[in-house]
Amino acid sequence: MSATFKVGDHVRWNSEAGHVSGKITQVHKRDTDYKGYTHHASAEDPQYEIKSDKTDHVAMHKGSALHKID
C-alpha cells in the first residue's frame, strides 16, 4: 500500500520531462476514466488528480508515484 494524501497536499512526481510538482485537487477511490484510459483505484489504493504548479496540466497518479513536499 502506498502513502495516503489529501486534497490540497503539495506533491512531486517524475515525468518524462523530469520532476513536476503540483497540488492534489481530487482523490479518486473508484475506477475513473481519464484522458481515454481507465485508472484503477480503490479506497485502499486511490488515484490522485494533481494540477501542475507551472502549467494548467492535470495528471493522475497513484500514491506510490508521489512524494509530499512543503
Side-chain angles (χ1 to χ4, degrees):
M1 188 162 122
S2 56
T4 302
F5 302 96
K6 64 184 183 309
V7 170
D9 282 352
H10 197 216
V11 295
R12 176 177 56 90
W13 67 97
N14 267 337
S15 77
E16 301 84 22
H19 291 288
V20 180
S21 62
K23 288 208 176 177
I24 294 176
T25 58
Q26 247 184 318
V27 178
H28 297 275
K29 296 182 179 181
R30 290 186 283 166
D31 290 356
T32 303
D33 289 330
Y34 183 71
K35 294 185 177 181
Y37 178 75
T38 300
H39 290 263
H40 298 285
S42 66
E44 296 80 27
D45 196 16
Q47 287 269 0
Y48 297 95
E49 199 168 315
I50 311 136
K51 185 175 184 295
S52 170
D53 287 337
K54 294 184 180 179
T55 68
D56 285 336
H57 179 75
V58 175
M60 193 173 295
H61 294 290
K62 290 209 175 229
S64 58
L66 303 173
H67 303 279
K68 191 169 180 178
I69 57 177
D70 294 327

